[in-house]
Amino acid sequence: MLIDSHAHLDSERYADDREAVLARAFEAGVGAVLSIGIGEGPAQMHQALDLCRQFNGQPGLPRLYASAGIYPHNTPEADQSALAKLDGLLAEPEVIACGEIGLDYYHEGAAHRIQQEKLVAQLTIAAARKRPILIHCRGTNESTDAWDDLFPILEAHWRHTGLGGVMHCFGGGWEQARRSLDLGFLVSFAGNLTYPKAQPLRDVATRLALDSVLVETDAPWLAPAPDRGKRNEPAFVARTAALMAELLAIAPDDLAAATTRNFSRLFHLPPGMGN
Ligand SMILES: [Zn+2]
């Protein structure tokens, strides 16, 4: 069984065929999907949880889990009521993670200072609710500037919780991977691992231990090769997993078992937590 550790199932791009998308994932061996609850902003943060309630229990579909969080470029909307909403969502048993949260200096948007302040505010809420975090981190022109700001924040406001988290859609170098592991994080790879120019990323992946990795789609974005640019969906996580297994020189089944075990360990899920 595979787990897609990061998919935006609430995207409008699945409005017409969401159930069929989930059925295809199940057929491809995906037993669980972490449905990311950021919406287009805090007003839609609950949508991932709604999908859990809509689909869980139906045969032939993956088990859904949800997250909730305020994305870096939505942090100007992270007022008291949005943060209270986040706190309420994290209290729900299906909402196992806070994210994706973090720093994005790659795209123009929220001021870096606001991103940092609201990241800390969300870390405080996630810590009180004992939820691991899903971190999005991307620097200016792929430099390490966002990482250089992120790590001191996590050292000061997160390490002591011992809750850990996931470096989602990892795009850093070995130094950033090493520091993430040191903080007790898992490193999650998306479809961009399959892209021709991603050799530096594949080199990082090759060096990681089997007990520290996850695979994800980040669907509907980042479809793996050869579907790059098309709508992505959780079934395609199998392709990223196959490449990851190749890089680590193990059988695909062993990669699937290990990533499922890693996911269950981080979120303290019981055995048989998929469908
Ligand atoms: Zn995402």
Side-chain angles (χ1 to χ4, degrees):
M1 177 186 118
L2 273 168
I3 294 180
D4 180 355
S5 72
H6 193 112
H8 297 266
L9 294 177
D10 64 338
S11 166
E12 285 193 1
R13 294 173 71 184
Y14 304 119
D16 295 333
D17 64 345
R18 193 171 282 111
E19 189 166 346
V21 164
L22 292 172
R24 279 199 292 276
F26 188 71
E27 267 169 39
V30 178
V33 180
L34 179 49
S35 173
I36 302 305
I38 57 168
E40 303 273 328
Q44 298 173 337
M45 227 179 341
H46 59 282
Q47 290 182 162
L49 173 60
D50 288 353
L51 293 177
C52 291
R53 291 175 174 167
Q54 182 183 350
F55 290 109
N56 279 344
Q58 290 188 33
L61 302 181
R63 168 79 67 93
L64 301 186
Y65 295 93
S67 75
I70 301 167
Y71 186 75
H73 288 303
N74 297 125
T75 50
E77 298 167 64
D79 56 13
Q80 279 313 315
S81 85
L83 293 171
K85 178 177 175 175
L86 172 63
D87 182 56
L89 285 167
L90 294 181
E92 299 291 339
E94 298 95 331
V95 185
I96 60 174
C98 178
E100 55 187 283
I101 59 176
L103 301 176
D104 186 299
Y105 300 171
Y106 184 80
H107 297 100
E108 285 286 322
H112 297 181
R113 175 169 296 275
I114 302 291
Q115 293 189 34
Q116 293 163 16
E117 269 175 36
K118 300 301 180 175
L119 169 59
V120 172
Q122 294 185 87
L123 293 179
T124 306
I125 294 168
R129 291 292 181 192
K130 298 200 166 14
R131 294 296 193 260
I133 53 176
L134 313 174
I135 289 288
H136 168 107
C137 188
R138 198 163 177 197
T140 313
N141 297 321
E142 311 294 0
S143 82
T144 61
D145 58 354
W147 291 103
D148 297 341
D149 289 348
L150 175 72
F151 284 119
I153 291 173
L154 295 180
E155 292 289 349
H157 301 276
W158 193 251
R159 181 189 281 278
H160 70 91
T161 69
L163 293 165
V166 178
M167 290 303 178
H168 133 74
C169 189
F170 185 74
W174 175 248
E175 175 63 13
Q176 288 71 39
R178 192 193 59 72
R179 294 189 71 176
S180 302
L181 301 178
D182 184 58
L183 277 161
F185 276 63
L186 297 174
V187 178
S188 184
F189 292 92
N192 53 332
L193 188 69
T194 68
Y195 297 167
K197 285 186 181 160
Q199 192 54 44
L201 190 59
R202 286 189 285 275
D203 291 342
V204 172
T206 306
R207 293 176 68 177
L208 288 168
L210 195 51
D211 66 358
S212 59
V213 294
L214 294 175
V215 284
E216 63 169 79
T217 55
D218 204 15
W221 299 288
L222 290 177
D227 288 316
R228 185 174 189 176
K230 295 191 193 152
R231 186 186 75 166
N232 197 2
E233 60 178 68
F236 298 168
V237 77
R239 272 189 249 158
T240 301
L243 173 59
M244 193 72 200
E246 202 181 305
L247 293 174
L248 296 176
I250 57 169
D253 281 354
D254 293 337
L255 188 278
T259 50
T260 295
R261 211 162 45 232
N262 297 342
F263 188 91
S264 307
R265 188 180 69 238
L266 177 65
F267 295 113
H268 303 286
L269 303 175
M273 27 56 74
N275 280 353

